[in-house]
Amino acid sequence: MAPTTMAQALNTALRDALHEDDRVLVFGEDVGALGGVFRITDGLTDKFGDERCFDTPLAEAGIVGFAVGLAMGGFRPVVEMQFDAFAYPAFEQIASHVAKLRNRTRGRLSLPLVIRIPYAGGIGGVEHHCDSSEAYYAHTPGLKVATPATVADAYSMLREAIADPDPVVFLEPKKLYWSKSDVDLPLRTEPFGRAAVRREGRDATVVAYGPAVPVALAAADAAAGEGWDLEVVDLRTIVPFDDETVTASVRRTGRCVVVQEAPGFAGVGAEVAARVQERCFHSLHAPVLRVSGFDVPYPPPMLEHHHLPGVDRVLDALDRLQRDDEPDPRFLAVGGPA
Amino acid sequence: MALLLPSAEPVRYLTDTGTPVTDPPAYPVPDLDLLVTAYRKMVVGRRFDTQATALTKQGRLAVYPSSHGQEACQVGAVLAVGAGDWLFPTYRESVALVTRGVDPVEVLSLLRGDAHCGYDPRAHHVAPQCTPLATQTLHATGLAYAERRKGSGAIALAFIGDGATSEGDFHEALNFAAVFRAPVVFLVQNNRYAISVPLERQSAAPSLAAKGIGYGVPAEQVDGNDPVAVLAVLTAAVAHARSGAGPFLVEAHTYRMDAHTNADDATRYRAAAEVDEWRRRDPVARLEAYLRGRGALTDADASEIAAEAEEYAAALRARMNADPDLTPTDLFDHVYAEPTPQLREQRATLLAELVEAP
């Protein structure tokens, strides 16, 4: 078994999908000769030709709208938005058409397409190159929203996204592109809609997804020294959402912290917290807390470490979780003490 | 590059009153039989349109954007393409859709409000009527390219209005279509107003057809109220696309005689004299005069076609007088191929509500 990076796993997933199904097309900006700015499409044009993996004009709405037509015509487009914040010109196509065509036509037309978005921060990117945009997509019915946190999931989930009859917004955590793991590809992990318990524990459940999963795991390691036995749940897909796994875990542990990079306000963590308290209220020994980025536009690179929730911010939340015997106004704070 | 330049004046075969122009353009003249068919479809389409407008007054439709005045464009487009070709209509293309043979009740679903798209797009090769402006031009481009890749020989025709030519998606579609040589025809029905905003505030270009030049897309202007010219130019545009030569842009100069929809008051933004001037160029009357002049349409033919249109309207009226059969759980059934656990729960909630208060 050789160490494989997430970037290599994604490349292999595209390679295998192109090889197995002639209907699969990969296109976007710079995905051809260059192999994508993150090299996720490296070598695909060489191997499959420029009819299967090709560069388009620089126009994100155009790329996604073009993909809609190709999917209607029987192809399975996998498009790359170069960076998260560059996808916004395509948002109308995504929200008005990609998400809705099946519903608009009462199931007569479907859109099996994948929109790959290098996403979130932690790489020192300049402005508009790092955004946590998952809530926009998760809030749009009709889209599936997936974000892998492990090398194995990167391969398996991208293969599943391409095979899915519905459109998938596939958020690739940029800072995990170079994370490594000893995995033999191809392999399949849990299906969409099933969260994974990355670490079992009994004192509290830490729910995370995408780039926040390694943070949650590191926090669990650190907290073990302070006597906390943390369970870490990786959502894997935000849509569909796995209430079952989250609920079962929190009912057992009685405490829950949600960790996300995105701003906390109206974010996915708020949804998780609401669902947990609706379902686990009588098992909870403390309020559900969110640990998130601040409610600020994504910071310049030299300040991003202040914004991104790290291990310390998770540990701080754990301190607050213990104070379940007296009301503490700080429970109302988001993203750290007010 | 001269190929890319549209004619300085719109192509026309008929004068405003329907007599042949003295110096006919270079496009082949459509067969008389096809023109008689076009006349029949335009008469039925206009009757459908007035019936739909009446249905808004009876509260049967939430809203209706009239096609009155634009029948030559809509009927011409449908007659210029083949059954295997795809149409990408906007909300105003109801006459095009009934001409295509889509059940008129299914066409009106969007506007009645019982379904976003009442018909089967695959059965008719007609995409859902599109409300966001210009977005469908990219879908048409992608689908046309898909057909080219499959070697099906089918093309796509995207309808668009003058206002929508200001949207970015229109420009991205022209560019993508040209770069990928997608067999797509863009038909701009320039009816001079985007709701209330006049063309002069929409574009400073010499014509909307001129917008093709910058993308390498050949284009033509046509008198959109001259059914002979519309058919001639669109037939050539479709042949161009089908030949593998790439996209083609047609700007049809036309006019909507009614307001944007029944909810709009057109007297606030355009003068009665202007409307009257366009009434003189009525596409149905022009074609009728031409066909009578050529001996291709008799009084008896005209009466028979008028009777057919009345029957069509009566049948539509009768069917639209019935309330649609709604299934509330439809809300959940087509969001995804398989509903999420959350949608299953919400479906159960709605079913319980229906039992309590049906």
Side-chain angles (χ1 to χ4, degrees):
Chain A
M1 222 183 271
T4 304
T5 64
M6 183 180 278
Q8 286 167 340
L10 293 165
N11 179 271
T12 306
L14 292 172
R15 201 171 283 264
D16 290 355
L18 283 161
H19 178 72
E20 282 175 29
D21 188 344
D22 286 344
R23 299 171 300 171
V24 174
L25 302 177
V26 173
F27 56 92
E29 296 158 9
D30 303 302
V31 301
L34 182 66
V37 292
F38 291 103
R39 305 292 183 270
I40 307 302
T41 57
D42 193 26
L44 299 182
T45 301
D46 281 347
K47 178 153 177 65
F48 298 99
D50 63 4
E51 293 235 306
R52 302 290 308 286
C53 176
F54 52 89
D55 289 325
T56 63
L58 203 161
E60 290 77 11
I63 291 167
V64 174
F66 192 59
V68 168
L70 275 161
M72 286 175 68
F75 286 91
R76 289 182 167 258
V78 182
V79 303
E80 178 173 303
M81 300 280 103
Q82 202 158 61
F83 285 91
D84 31 42
F86 297 177
Y88 300 140
F91 195 73
E92 185 192 15
Q93 285 289 346
I94 295 171
S96 294
H97 296 296
V98 172
K100 291 179 178 166
L101 191 70
R102 176 185 292 281
N103 196 251
R104 290 169 76 201
T105 62
R106 292 192 281 187
R108 283 147 165 168
L109 292 178
S110 60
L111 288 180
L113 67 87
V114 180
I115 301 171
R116 291 183 39 245
I117 307 179
Y119 135 95
I123 62 160
V126 295
E127 193 183 18
H128 297 127
H129 287 68
C130 290
D131 249 9
S132 297
S133 42
E134 69 269 26
Y136 303 130
Y137 305 113
H139 193 66
T140 305
L143 302 176
K144 290 185 176 176
V145 182
T147 178
T150 69
V151 175
D153 264 359
Y155 178 88
S156 180
M157 289 169 67
L158 184 51
R159 291 300 306 275
E160 191 180 354
I162 295 168
D164 201 284
D166 287 314
V168 178
V169 175
F170 196 84
L171 302 170
E172 300 171 1
K174 289 181 213 104
K175 75 174 182 195
L176 301 185
Y177 272 146
W178 304 284
S179 63
K180 282 184 187 166
S181 178
D182 289 333
V183 291
D184 272 333
L185 302 178
L187 60 76
R188 288 305 176 112
T189 57
E190 299 88 342
F192 272 20
R194 187 89 52 79
V197 177
R198 297 287 176 212
R199 175 193 173 114
E200 292 185 358
R202 55 165 202 276
D203 297 336
T205 301
V206 182
V207 178
Y209 55 88
V213 172
V215 175
L217 287 168
D221 284 345
E226 297 177 19
W228 280 97
D229 184 16
L230 294 184
E231 180 144 307
V232 175
V233 174
D234 171 3
L235 290 178
R236 303 174 70 253
T237 51
I238 299 169
V239 182
F241 183 82
D242 185 356
D243 278 307
E244 215 173 278
T245 300
V246 172
T247 300
S249 175
V250 177
R251 281 186 182 154
R252 211 154 29 73
T253 62
R255 288 179 168 84
C256 180
V257 178
V258 193
V259 187
Q260 67 180 37
E261 273 194 26
F265 191 83
V268 170
E271 178 66 29
V272 176
R275 301 185 82 83
V276 166
Q277 75 81 22
E278 281 172 359
R279 285 154 188 267
C280 310
F281 185 74
H282 295 291
S283 307
L284 287 172
H285 305 307
V288 181
L289 294 185
R290 285 171 288 166
V291 173
S292 68
F294 296 115
D295 295 331
V296 298
Y298 199 89
M302 295 177 78
L303 291 172
E304 71 175 347
H305 64 288
H306 294 299
H307 167 71
L308 297 174
V311 168
D312 287 348
R313 207 176 287 166
V314 181
L315 295 177
D316 185 57
L318 292 173
D319 286 346
R320 293 151 65 204
L321 278 187
Q322 286 181 300
R323 301 179 175 221
D324 56 337
D325 51 342
E326 57 186 84
D328 184 331
R330 292 187 304 172
F331 285 148
L332 301 175
V334 171
Chain B
M1 292 307 283
L3 177 70
L4 294 179
L5 289 173
S7 56
E9 290 297 319
V11 172
R12 56 175 1 205
Y13 285 82
L14 305 180
T15 64
D16 287 355
T17 53
T19 55
V21 294
T22 47
D23 196 10
Y27 294 90
V29 181
D31 291 344
L32 266 184
D33 285 352
L34 183 62
L35 291 171
V36 172
T37 300
Y39 175 75
R40 181 183 295 271
K41 300 287 188 190
M42 287 167 64
V43 170
V44 173
R46 176 164 292 180
R47 187 64 189 87
F48 163 87
D49 199 76
T50 53
Q51 184 58 60
T53 299
L55 286 166
T56 60
K57 290 173 184 154
Q58 296 158 17
R60 284 288 173 187
L61 297 181
V63 70
Y64 182 71
S66 169
S67 298
H68 191 137
Q70 300 183 214
E71 293 89 347
C73 297
Q74 297 198 16
V75 171
V78 175
L79 295 184
V81 301
D85 296 327
W86 275 77
L87 300 176
F88 284 77
T90 76
Y91 51 83
R92 198 180 296 284
E93 265 69 62
S94 298
V95 167
L97 298 201
V98 299
T99 303
R100 182 71 163 198
V102 182
D103 182 330
V105 172
E106 293 181 353
V107 170
L108 293 175
S109 281
L110 172 74
L111 303 162
R112 175 157 69 172
D114 54 305
H116 294 316
C117 175
Y119 52 87
D120 181 349
R122 242 180 241 298
H124 300 283
H125 282 198
V126 178
Q129 285 174 276
C130 197
T131 308
L133 297 183
T135 51
Q136 79 283 3
T137 57
L138 281 163
H139 309 164
T141 301
L143 183 122
Y145 180 63
E147 298 301 328
R148 202 195 107 188
R149 287 281 297 265
K150 293 187 290 186
S152 74
I155 67 118
L157 186 145
F159 294 92
I160 186 172
D162 43 294
T165 64
S166 300
E167 294 276 7
D169 282 12
F170 170 69
H171 298 271
E172 296 189 19
L174 286 179
N175 196 39
F176 269 66
V179 167
F180 290 103
R181 293 174 81 84
V184 54
V185 174
F186 300 97
L187 171 59
V188 177
Q189 290 173 76
N190 173 3
N191 67 17
R192 315 214 52 92
Y193 292 89
I195 305 189
S196 66
V197 178
L199 184 67
E200 294 70 33
R201 181 48 70 96
Q202 203 65 246
S203 172
S207 68
L208 298 179
K211 292 179 186 289
I213 298 169
Y215 301 101
V217 175
E220 187 58 282
Q221 301 188 72
V222 63
D223 180 339
N225 283 19
D226 174 349
V228 182
V230 169
L231 261 171
V233 169
L234 282 177
T235 300
V238 168
H240 171 94
R242 212 187 300 285
S243 75
F248 200 95
L249 168 65
V250 176
E251 177 189 9
H253 294 266
T254 184
Y255 199 78
R256 63 169 151 77
M257 299 305 295
D258 294 341
H260 167 65
T261 69
N262 58 298
D264 157 40
D265 176 9
T267 63
R268 294 172 74 113
Y269 56 83
R270 61 188 198 187
E274 179 184 289
V275 182
D276 286 340
E277 192 186 320
W278 279 92
R279 189 168 284 119
R280 289 191 304 106
R281 301 176 197 163
D282 180 70
V284 180
R286 274 164 85 176
L287 185 56
E288 179 169 344
Y290 175 71
L291 292 175
R292 284 178 183 274
R294 295 288 306 272
L297 188 79
T298 63
D299 283 349
D301 296 333
S303 304
E304 186 255 317
I305 291 169
E308 179 189 326
E310 280 310 314
E311 270 175 46
Y312 191 92
L316 174 60
R317 209 161 47 235
R319 290 174 64 207
M320 290 296 288
N321 276 334
D323 289 328
D325 196 11
L326 298 173
T327 310
T329 49
D330 266 357
L331 284 177
F332 306 102
D333 293 345
H334 307 295
V335 184
Y336 300 96
E338 292 290 331
T340 61
Q342 291 75 31
L343 285 176
R344 282 202 196 94
E345 277 176 26
Q346 290 165 25
R347 190 178 194 275
T349 302
L350 178 63
L351 279 173
E353 285 175 5
L354 290 170
V355 171
E356 285 163 22

